[in-house]
Amino acid sequence: MYIKQIIIQGFKSYKEQTVIEPFSPKHNVIVGHNGSGKSNFFAAIRFVLSDAYTQMGREERQALLHEGTGSAVMSAFVEIIFDNSDDRFPTGKPELILRRTIGLKKDEYSLDRKNATKSDVMNLLESAGFSRSNPYYIVPQGRVTALTNMKDAERLTLLKEVAGTQVYEARRTESLKIMTETNNKRAKIDELLDYINERLSELEEEKEELRGYQDKDKERRCLQYTIDHREQAAIAEELDNLDEQRQNGVDDTDDNRERFLQGEKDLAEIDTEINDLKQQVEFLKVDKAQLENEHRDILRSKAKVELDVKGLTDGQSAAQQAKAQYEQELQSLQVSVRQHEKELSRIAPDFSAKQEQEATAKSELENAEAIRQRLYAKQGRNARFRNKTERDNWLRKEIDDSYPQLTKIKAVRMQTAEDIAVLEKEIASTEREISSLRGQYDQRGNSNEAMLQQVQSAKGDRDRLIDERKELWREDAKLDSVKGNAQKELHKAEQILSYTMDQNTSRGLASVRRIKRQHELDGVYGTLAELVDVNERFRTAVEVTAGNSLFHYVVDNDETASKVLDILQKERGGRVTFMPLNRLKPKFGNVPKANDAVPMIEKLQFDPMYEKAFQQVFGKTVVCPNLAIAAQYARSHGVSAITLDGDRSDKKGALTGGYHDPRQSRLEAVRNVTKWRNEHESHEIRSKEIKRAIEQKDQEITRAVGHLQKLDQARQRQENSYGPLRQELQSRVSTLQNKQDALDAKQRARLNIESNIKALTDQQTAHENEIASEFKKALTADEEIQLENLSTTIQDLRRHFSDISSSRSELETQKSTLEIELRENLRPRLEQLNAQESDNQEGGARGNLKESQRDLKRISKAVETVERKLEEIENSIDQANAQVTELEQRHAETRRQQEDIAKSIERQQKRVEKSMQKRSLLTKQAAEVNRKIRDLGVLPQEAFERFEKTKSDVIVKRLHKVNDALKKYSHVNKKAFQQYDQFTNQRDTLIKRRSELGSSQASIEELILVLDQRKDEAIERTFKQVSREFANVFEKLVPAGRGRLVIQRKIDRQQNDEEDSDDERRESVENYIGVGISVSFNSKHDDQQRIQQLSGGQKSLCALALVFAIQRCDPAPFYLFDEIDANLDAQYRTAVAQMLQSISKASEHDGQFICTTFRPEMLLVAEKCYGVRYLGNKSSGVVAVTREE
């Protein structure tokens, strides 16, 4: 590791940034004239690396900044770049950049461009080998002179610093300080022990007097307790009597109050019932007027329909006779058609079975004949061929020739199958069409009837919709009355609520509700009173606790609150207090958990999202059964406590209360307002819904009338469509017959094709089997037998086939006869009669008659319904009026009872107030007695029983005697026992502490001995190393001479010569008084001289030899010498330069030297030279130069 490069800016004479060319890792020399800035360059390096520039003031930092003319320099820095290729600095990088920047108000270090503390820098330098105990790797101007003029004692101090004894001295000093403190503590402990022992002997005497005093005092306290306890019991008994009387009075008051409240509720309910009944009467009158109008309209409609029915009935008798004759002929024809169809359905399965049997018999016959034919052919072939090869070739050829024919036949079969499938689908489709058409034709009467029913249904829907619209009109009229009543009640409830708050708050709440509705603010929730639901039992307590906070408005956040407040201020809409949930941070108090202290928040019902708001108001309040318990919990837990009657005790002890009229409840007023507002809003919404429903009914009625007109038109079109339908049906039946005939032909063709395919396939199989058999000229025995059997079988099959064919022909003849009769005769006649019926129906007017009769029946029923409703409404009006009269009488009676109860409550309240005053006085007396008992302290067990049966006057006399006896003990030390125990414990503790201090002192003395021994060893070891290196260095600098270091001791102060240091006795360092230098420049054997006897140049040389010796004992990575050769003679300058050259080049002393000089000897041995030049304006620069320059 070595200094690679230095950059200076603003430091002393180096104003501009000066970047020095990289240094050599060996020997570097810096030259320059006096005053050019060599020493400033040297000072710049010391500014970064040494402790010379620490703890500087403002003026000292100013002195380091450049002071030339021109712009002022506000800061300066020196940056040293180290080569770290040997990883001497533990950074893991090949270079280390160390910079120190200084200004008037700053002094900073940085490592590798990152800020660092001074301690970090010093620790890093020490880890790289820059020892703080050896500052001689930097030798500034004057250091050599100071070392030259140094006294022997000062050299000994220097040697101690090099040996690192400062650490030992610091630890020894600290140990001596601790030992001194330990001795002082032991002395104080001894003084305390003497005082404690003296005080314990005095307390032994005071203990005896204290025992006599305690016996008398014990008797006094027992007597005093008995007196106070009896007084306490008397007061408690009287308080119990008062509480019992008060409780009875409270119970009576509570009963009266409950009766009064119940009476108020009954009055409110009666008023509500009367209003409801009166409103109901108004509704009934409206219904009655509407029903009467409807009754007149229905009667006019009924008269008109009755006239229509009479006219239609007279024209219907003539058509009755013609219809009877027609129906008789139609019935007879229908019976004939059913008989023929039944016979045809009976024959058809037998005919199909015979067809299948005939096909099976034909197939078996053809198969047998084919087998016989193949056997005959085989028999003839065997005679044609000479060998098996010729036969096989001919058979293969036959097989190959049959394949094209077979493929062609299969293709025909596939086409035939496709044609059959198409015909079957077409037949099925045509049958469905015929069935549909016949169903339509057969059901034309039903269709007419269905169409007529649809028309009637449409008329019914129209009438129903009209009735529903009438009901909606009626309900709308009722709702207008109800809405007006709700509006009146809401206004009344709002007035009552406004009396419970100031006018600004009332206007503000109304404005906030309007703003919320206009601006659609979802984050505006409502007042606390609107958001909570409270049991009636806790209503008074909740109102007293909340006060005006009941009308605080809860919002989601402060942004919403600010928006509403801005609008309120612009409109001057009143005053409202908002509670933004995001800003509320309720503090949870120490709420007691007991049966007689219920947290009020638990008795409130509200949405959890508003919990912060309710915790803010009610979180620190508990509900107690009475004021005494409330006051107790308020003091002990720091909460507000309240009773169900509204009596309150806060955490500061203040009691408030009194009678609260439940008829003026704010919560009840808010609930009434909310109730009527919701009811009014619901009626308003319902009214709008009804109006929309009426509009919708108008549209539905319009659509129903249009639908009815369309149905009438459709009925006319249907009646005119049966002629074309009959013609279409006949055409479809003819088409179906043709397709069935074509299907039968295709099926017969498919059977023939299947038979041909089977014959060819069997022939191919027989040829292949024959190829696989042996070649013979004649048939085998089995084949001969088979051929004979086939002849008989074929004859039997032909007879069987002939029988089946005959049976099938007979059935086919019967089937054809029936089908022709149905197709050509019966069905056309039936269709003709049906057409005639249709024509008759088309020309008749029966439908109109039936329709008119139904209308008459419906209207008659409607008349009966309206009359029944009118009768019911009249009865309901009479009943409602009777109930109103009865309720008004009950209301007057209840009001009289309420006045009597109110007077009784007022009288009882006065009695309770007097009782409370007396109870308060007794409570104070009881508290005073309890204080006296507490002042007696802890009582012995006998105090509760000793004087229990003694009379009170005897106890008083005895108490006076005891008090007189206690007067002679007025001087007694009442804490003698306690003090004796305290001093005894303190003495034991001090003795134990003194023993511990003795052990600590022994340990410290042992540590001091060890430190002294290690320090002596370090000094002796360092002296030997430095002395040996001094002799070696001096011998190199002065080859003809000899030099050594000499330890000065107290016992040989007057001796000038000493034995060699290796033979010195090991004595304590306290005997060392200095280190002398003894040298000889001319001979190794002449008498040596002391340094005081030498010339100035010789002294400087000895000082340099000592510096080199110290550096060899504690080597550094590099060395900085500032004009160390200034006072040396030429020959010694040469020796020093050569020594520096040898040290820098020696591998075991791989160190870098940077020397400033103005002598030529060092230039001759330096590897790189640098010149410091004065640039004017108090500025310097450094450049690399050659030796010649």
Side-chain angles (χ1 to χ4, degrees):
M1 184 197 76
Y2 62 91
I3 295 178
K4 188 174 182 180
Q5 195 172 21
I6 297 176
I7 302 173
I8 309 172
Q9 178 177 327
F11 185 83
K12 288 193 173 182
S13 61
Y14 296 92
K15 179 179 180 180
E16 304 299 332
Q17 180 171 321
T18 302
V19 181
I20 293 91
E21 186 176 323
F23 290 98
S24 168
K26 300 299 182 181
H27 191 191
N28 303 271
V29 173
I30 299 172
V31 297
H33 299 288
N34 284 333
S36 61
K38 297 192 303 298
S39 296
N40 289 341
F41 176 78
F42 193 85
I45 300 176
R46 292 182 63 200
F47 170 70
V48 179
L49 299 179
S50 72
D51 294 336
Y53 297 92
T54 57
Q55 298 180 350
M56 295 182 293
R58 179 184 177 89
E59 294 180 356
E60 293 173 320
R61 288 197 292 271
Q62 178 69 46
L64 296 179
L65 301 178
H66 180 73
E67 295 181 348
T69 60
S71 60
V73 176
M74 303 305 296
S75 66
F77 74 85
V78 178
E79 181 174 287
I80 300 177
I81 302 175
F82 294 94
D83 181 276
N84 192 35
S85 56
D86 57 354
D87 289 332
R88 197 155 185 172
F89 288 113
T91 61
K93 298 180 180 179
E95 287 185 352
L96 176 72
I97 302 174
L98 174 60
R99 173 185 284 198
R100 185 177 181 183
T101 305
I102 193 169
L104 294 179
K105 294 183 180 180
K106 68 176 181 178
D107 187 0
E108 300 173 347
Y109 285 88
S110 67
L111 289 171
D112 288 335
R113 314 297 184 192
K114 297 179 181 179
N115 291 336
T117 62
K118 181 181 178 182
S119 61
D120 294 338
V121 173
M122 294 298 127
N123 292 334
L124 183 65
L125 292 174
E126 188 146 356
S127 67
F130 299 92
S131 175
R132 295 186 183 180
S133 62
N134 178 15
Y136 284 93
Y137 66 90
I138 299 177
V139 182
Q141 285 186 16
R143 179 69 61 85
V144 175
T145 303
L147 194 60
T148 301
N149 298 327
M150 193 176 284
K151 296 180 181 180
D152 292 348
E154 293 173 347
R155 289 193 197 95
L156 178 61
T157 303
L158 173 62
L159 193 65
K160 290 180 180 180
E161 290 179 1
V162 175
T165 58
Q166 292 179 352
V167 177
Y168 297 113
E169 288 293 341
R171 294 184 63 186
R172 189 176 190 278
T173 302
E174 184 180 357
S175 300
L176 289 174
K177 181 179 179 182
I178 294 173
M179 189 167 66
T180 302
E181 294 176 353
T182 301
N183 290 332
N184 293 335
K185 291 179 181 178
R186 291 180 63 185
K188 291 181 180 179
I189 289 173
D190 291 339
E191 293 178 3
L192 286 173
L193 286 175
D194 294 339
Y195 170 75
I196 289 172
N197 290 328
E198 181 181 356
R199 184 66 181 134
L200 286 174
S201 61
E202 295 175 357
L203 289 173
E204 284 289 345
E205 299 175 359
E206 294 177 357
K207 283 166 61 178
E208 296 299 326
E209 294 182 355
L210 182 60
R211 286 192 182 94
Y213 169 77
Q214 288 178 341
D215 292 339
K216 291 295 182 181
D217 184 66
K218 178 180 178 182
E219 184 177 0
R220 179 191 68 80
R221 289 189 295 129
C222 292
L223 292 168
Q224 187 66 46
Y225 170 75
T226 304
I227 294 173
D228 293 341
H229 179 67
R230 289 179 180 178
E231 184 178 359
Q232 185 184 40
I235 292 173
E237 183 178 359
E238 192 167 356
L239 283 172
D240 290 340
N241 293 332
L242 285 176
D243 287 340
E244 185 177 358
Q245 293 174 4
R246 178 179 178 276
Q247 187 62 40
N248 293 332
V250 169
D251 292 340
D252 294 340
T253 302
D254 290 342
D255 293 341
N256 290 332
R257 187 171 297 168
E258 290 178 2
R259 288 170 55 201
F260 184 80
L261 292 176
Q262 186 63 40
E264 291 295 322
K265 290 182 181 179
D266 293 342
L267 288 175
E269 291 176 358
I270 290 172
D271 289 337
T272 302
E273 290 180 8
I274 291 173
N275 291 332
D276 292 343
L277 287 171
K278 289 181 178 179
Q279 188 174 7
Q280 184 179 354
V281 170
E282 294 297 326
F283 294 160
L284 291 172
K285 289 180 179 179
V286 172
D287 290 344
K288 181 180 178 183
Q290 292 178 351
L291 286 173
E292 287 175 348
N293 293 332
E294 185 177 352
H295 185 255
R296 286 193 293 271
D297 294 339
I298 293 175
L299 289 177
R300 284 196 294 268
S301 299
K302 181 179 179 183
K304 181 180 178 182
V305 172
E306 286 177 344
L307 292 174
D308 293 339
V309 169
K310 186 175 183 303
L312 291 172
T313 303
D314 295 338
Q316 189 179 5
S317 301
Q320 298 272 338
Q321 298 177 356
K323 182 181 177 182
Q325 183 178 358
Y326 160 78
E327 288 179 352
Q328 182 177 1
E329 184 180 358
L330 180 62
Q331 183 178 4
S332 174
L333 189 59
Q334 287 175 347
V335 170
S336 298
V337 171
R338 284 195 295 269
Q339 290 176 352
H340 281 71
E341 288 177 348
K342 182 178 180 181
E343 182 67 19
L344 184 61
S345 62
R346 183 185 63 79
I347 293 173
D350 295 339
F351 175 72
S352 299
K354 291 296 182 182
Q355 278 186 325
E356 291 177 1
Q357 292 176 5
E358 182 181 13
T360 302
K362 183 178 179 182
S363 175
E364 291 175 354
L365 177 61
E366 291 175 349
N367 187 27
E369 289 179 343
I371 294 173
R372 186 175 66 175
Q373 184 65 31
R374 285 194 295 272
L375 289 175
Y376 284 144
K378 181 179 179 181
Q379 186 177 16
R381 281 194 302 272
N382 290 337
R384 291 169 54 190
F385 304 111
R386 293 190 300 266
N387 52 39
K388 186 176 185 298
T389 301
E390 292 181 0
R391 184 201 67 181
D392 291 346
N393 291 334
W394 185 86
L395 290 174
R396 289 191 182 95
K397 183 176 180 300
E398 289 293 324
I399 292 172
D400 294 338
D401 293 341
S402 65
Y403 276 121
Q405 184 180 1
L406 181 61
T407 302
K408 183 177 179 180
I409 294 174
K410 287 183 177 179
V412 174
R413 181 185 64 178
M414 185 179 300
Q415 182 63 41
T416 304
E418 293 177 357
D419 295 341
I420 290 173
V422 170
L423 286 172
E424 288 176 346
K425 290 181 181 179
E426 292 177 352
I427 289 171
S429 175
T430 305
E431 287 178 345
R432 287 194 297 272
E433 292 177 357
I434 292 172
S435 177
S436 176
L437 291 172
R438 182 169 285 124
Q440 293 178 18
Y441 189 76
D442 292 341
Q443 296 296 326
R444 60 189 182 281
N446 295 333
S447 298
N448 289 334
E449 187 67 24
M451 183 60 70
L452 188 60
Q453 289 179 357
Q454 290 181 10
V455 171
Q456 293 299 323
S457 176
K459 289 181 179 180
D461 292 340
R462 179 197 60 188
D463 296 339
R464 176 181 55 79
L465 291 172
I466 292 173
D467 292 339
E468 290 176 357
R469 183 173 61 179
K470 290 178 181 178
E471 290 294 331
L472 289 174
W473 284 341
R474 192 176 296 116
E475 185 176 358
D476 188 33
K478 291 180 183 178
L479 202 57
D480 287 339
S481 176
V482 174
K483 190 168 61 173
N485 182 62
Q487 177 100 22
K488 183 172 64 175
E489 292 294 336
L490 174 61
H491 181 67
K492 180 180 177 182
E494 287 177 344
Q495 282 186 338
I496 294 173
L497 178 61
S498 65
Y499 296 152
T500 63
M501 68 182 82
D502 60 273
Q503 185 178 1
N504 285 333
T505 302
S506 178
R507 288 194 305 110
L509 293 178
S511 299
V512 171
R513 284 193 294 270
R514 177 178 49 79
I515 292 169
K516 173 185 177 182
R517 185 172 59 254
Q518 290 178 351
H519 296 270
E520 297 181 354
L521 298 176
D522 296 333
V524 180
Y525 301 128
T527 62
L528 287 178
E530 294 171 349
L531 299 176
V532 70
D533 189 12
V534 186
N535 188 293
E536 186 177 349
R537 182 185 177 195
F538 297 93
R539 185 182 297 163
T540 301
V542 171
E543 290 182 5
V544 173
T545 300
N548 290 329
S549 298
L550 281 174
F551 303 116
H552 289 179
Y553 229 100
V554 181
V555 296
D556 55 354
N557 53 49
D558 48 358
E559 182 179 353
T560 303
S562 300
K563 184 175 181 180
V564 178
L565 279 174
D566 292 341
I567 300 173
L568 272 178
Q569 291 175 356
K570 291 178 182 178
E571 299 179 354
R572 295 183 180 180
R575 185 183 67 248
V576 175
T577 301
F578 289 97
M579 300 181 72
L581 293 177
N582 67 322
R583 290 289 187 179
L584 295 180
K585 296 180 180 179
K587 296 180 180 179
F588 299 95
N590 183 21
V591 180
K593 297 181 179 179
N595 294 330
D596 54 355
V598 180
M600 180 172 286
I601 196 73
E602 295 181 0
K603 298 302 179 181
L604 305 179
Q605 298 179 7
F606 52 85
D607 194 308
M609 69 180 296
Y610 311 130
E611 184 174 2
K612 285 185 178 180
F614 287 97
Q615 286 285 358
Q616 183 77 16
V617 178
F618 304 101
K620 294 183 179 180
T621 303
V622 296
V623 181
C624 301
N626 54 59
L627 191 59
I629 296 175
Q632 180 181 353
Y633 279 116
R635 289 192 302 269
S636 62
H637 290 76
V639 297
S640 295
I642 193 169
T643 65
L644 295 176
D645 297 330
D647 299 332
R648 184 178 181 184
S649 175
D650 60 18
K651 59 185 178 181
K652 295 182 181 179
L655 301 176
T656 57
Y659 175 70
H660 297 277
D661 190 353
R663 294 174 296 179
Q664 297 179 358
S665 170
R666 290 180 169 185
L667 288 173
E668 183 65 22
V670 171
R671 191 173 72 174
N672 287 335
V673 170
T674 304
K675 168 190 171 185
W676 288 110
R677 182 181 295 119
N678 293 337
E679 187 170 343
H680 180 265
E681 290 176 355
S682 64
H683 291 329
E684 187 70 30
I685 293 171
R686 179 58 183 162
S687 177
K688 293 179 181 179
E689 291 177 353
I690 289 175
K691 285 181 170 53
R692 287 196 297 270
I694 290 173
E695 294 176 359
Q696 185 177 358
K697 287 298 177 187
D698 291 338
Q699 296 174 2
E700 291 179 358
I701 290 171
T702 302
R703 288 195 296 270
V705 171
H707 179 61
L708 179 60
Q709 292 174 354
K710 290 179 181 179
L711 287 176
D712 285 333
Q713 294 173 2
R715 187 179 64 176
Q716 295 296 330
R717 289 195 301 271
Q718 185 180 25
E719 291 176 352
N720 297 328
S721 65
Y722 290 123
L725 180 63
R726 185 168 59 251
Q727 295 176 1
E728 180 69 19
L729 178 60
Q730 293 174 355
S731 175
R732 287 285 188 274
V733 170
S734 176
T735 301
L736 176 62
Q737 187 62 40
N738 295 333
K739 289 182 178 180
Q740 287 178 344
D741 295 339
L743 178 62
D744 292 340
K746 288 288 184 180
Q747 287 177 343
R748 287 193 297 271
R750 183 174 62 180
L751 292 176
N752 294 331
I753 291 170
E754 291 289 344
S755 177
N756 294 334
I757 291 173
K758 187 174 184 304
L760 286 173
T761 304
D762 292 342
Q763 184 177 357
Q764 288 177 350
T765 303
H767 287 343
E768 290 173 354
N769 292 335
E770 188 175 353
I771 291 172
S773 65
E774 296 180 358
F775 178 73
K776 295 182 179 180
K777 293 293 184 177
L779 296 176
T780 63
D782 293 336
E783 291 175 342
E784 291 288 349
I785 295 171
Q786 185 181 8
L787 185 60
E788 292 178 0
N789 293 333
L790 282 174
S791 299
T792 305
T793 302
I794 289 172
Q795 292 178 0
D796 294 337
L797 288 173
R798 284 178 177 171
R799 285 195 297 271
H800 180 62
F801 176 71
S802 177
D803 295 338
I804 291 175
S805 295
S806 300
S807 300
R808 190 264 308 163
S809 298
E810 293 177 358
L811 291 173
E812 186 175 5
T813 302
Q814 297 177 7
K815 178 173 174 294
S816 299
T817 303
L818 292 171
E819 289 176 349
I820 292 170
E821 180 66 19
L822 284 172
R823 185 170 59 249
E824 300 295 337
N825 184 17
L826 295 177
R827 283 178 178 164
R829 178 57 182 164
L830 182 61
E831 291 173 359
Q832 184 179 1
L833 291 176
N834 288 332
Q836 183 178 354
E837 179 188 10
S838 176
D839 295 338
N840 292 334
Q841 288 180 354
E842 292 173 2
R846 291 178 299 166
N848 292 332
L849 177 61
K850 291 181 179 179
E851 183 178 354
S852 298
Q853 289 175 345
R854 280 194 293 268
D855 289 342
L856 180 60
K857 183 177 181 181
R858 177 180 57 79
I859 292 174
S860 299
K861 186 176 181 181
V863 170
E864 294 176 358
T865 302
V866 170
E867 291 175 349
R868 185 179 67 255
K869 288 182 179 180
L870 282 172
E871 184 178 357
E872 291 175 354
I873 287 174
E874 290 176 354
N875 294 333
S876 299
I877 291 173
D878 294 339
Q879 293 176 0
N881 289 328
Q883 291 177 2
V884 168
T885 302
E886 182 182 355
L887 288 173
E888 288 176 348
Q889 294 175 357
R890 280 178 54 196
H891 186 276
E893 179 65 21
T894 305
R895 175 61 65 188
R896 185 185 60 75
Q897 293 176 0
Q898 288 292 96
E899 293 175 355
D900 295 340
I901 294 172
K903 293 178 181 179
S904 176
I905 291 175
E906 186 177 359
R907 290 192 299 270
Q908 187 65 32
Q909 189 71 24
K910 292 179 180 179
R911 289 195 295 269
V912 170
E913 289 176 358
K914 292 180 181 179
S915 176
M916 287 297 293
Q917 293 175 357
K918 185 177 181 180
R919 189 182 189 285
S920 177
L921 180 61
L922 290 173
T923 302
K924 291 180 180 178
Q925 294 177 0
E928 181 65 23
V929 173
N930 289 333
R931 185 188 62 76
K932 291 180 180 180
I933 293 175
R934 285 196 302 271
D935 292 343
L936 294 176
V938 180
L939 296 172
Q941 183 64 32
E942 62 181 348
F944 305 103
E945 301 174 355
R946 182 176 177 182
F947 302 105
E948 184 177 1
K949 298 180 179 180
T950 307
K951 295 182 178 179
S952 297
D953 55 348
V954 176
I955 292 175
V956 172
K957 291 179 181 180
R958 190 166 179 176
L959 178 62
H960 287 311
K961 292 180 181 179
V962 172
N963 287 330
D964 293 338
L966 283 172
K967 290 180 181 179
K968 68 178 182 179
Y969 293 103
S970 60
H971 65 283
V972 72
N973 183 8
K974 299 177 182 179
K975 296 183 178 181
F977 290 111
Q978 181 180 359
Q979 291 176 353
Y980 186 84
D981 293 337
Q982 289 177 349
F983 280 118
T984 302
N985 294 333
Q986 190 174 4
R987 181 186 61 184
D988 296 339
T989 302
L990 290 173
I991 292 172
K992 182 179 179 182
R993 178 60 180 158
R994 190 176 187 280
S995 176
E996 293 175 353
L997 290 174
S999 301
S1000 300
Q1001 185 176 8
S1003 300
I1004 293 171
E1005 290 174 352
E1006 182 180 356
L1007 177 62
I1008 291 173
L1009 292 176
V1010 172
L1011 291 174
D1012 289 342
Q1013 181 180 358
R1014 291 181 180 176
K1015 182 179 71 175
D1016 293 347
E1017 292 175 356
I1019 293 174
E1020 290 180 2
R1021 182 172 62 252
T1022 303
F1023 174 75
K1024 288 180 180 180
Q1025 293 177 355
V1026 174
S1027 178
R1028 182 173 62 252
E1029 295 298 334
F1030 179 80
N1032 295 334
V1033 170
F1034 191 84
E1035 184 177 357
K1036 289 183 180 180
L1037 294 175
V1038 186
R1042 177 183 176 215
R1044 62 174 180 161
L1045 299 179
V1046 180
I1047 282 288
Q1048 297 291 339
R1049 298 183 178 87
K1050 293 179 182 179
I1051 59 175
D1052 55 0
R1053 181 189 298 257
Q1054 303 299 326
Q1055 297 180 2
N1056 295 325
D1057 297 327
E1058 294 289 343
E1059 296 294 332
D1060 192 79
S1061 59
D1062 290 335
D1063 299 330
E1064 293 177 356
R1065 297 190 304 267
R1066 292 182 177 275
E1067 298 181 5
S1068 174
V1069 73
E1070 300 298 329
N1071 291 326
Y1072 298 165
I1073 60 175
V1075 175
I1077 298 177
S1078 178
V1079 296
S1080 173
F1081 281 85
N1082 298 321
S1083 173
K1084 297 183 180 291
H1085 304 290
D1086 291 344
D1087 292 338
Q1088 296 182 346
Q1089 296 175 321
R1090 295 286 186 179
I1091 193 170
Q1092 294 83 359
Q1093 301 170 346
L1094 302 177
S1095 65
Q1098 290 175 338
K1099 288 181 180 180
S1100 297
L1101 184 63
C1102 291
L1104 285 174
L1106 181 58
V1107 170
F1108 289 141
I1110 292 173
Q1111 290 176 349
R1112 284 193 173 189
C1113 292
D1114 189 6
F1118 59 86
Y1119 304 96
L1120 306 176
F1121 294 154
D1122 187 9
E1123 298 182 3
I1124 61 173
D1125 57 350
N1127 299 325
L1128 296 179
D1129 298 335
Q1131 60 176 343
Y1132 297 137
R1133 288 198 299 271
T1134 303
V1136 170
Q1138 290 176 351
M1139 185 172 184
L1140 292 177
Q1141 183 183 22
S1142 63
I1143 292 175
S1144 64
K1145 291 183 178 181
S1147 59
E1148 66 273 10
H1149 299 290
D1150 189 10
Q1152 181 189 37
F1153 288 90
I1154 300 176
C1155 306
T1156 62
T1157 184
F1158 50 84
R1159 303 289 185 179
E1161 287 79 7
M1162 281 195 183
L1163 291 174
L1164 297 175
V1165 297
E1167 289 196 2
K1168 292 193 78 171
C1169 299
Y1170 299 87
V1172 180
R1173 297 175 180 176
Y1174 180 71
L1175 304 178
N1177 193 21
K1178 297 184 180 181
S1179 296
S1180 302
V1182 179
V1183 295
V1185 296
T1186 62
R1187 289 189 180 91
E1188 292 75 12
E1189 291 175 343

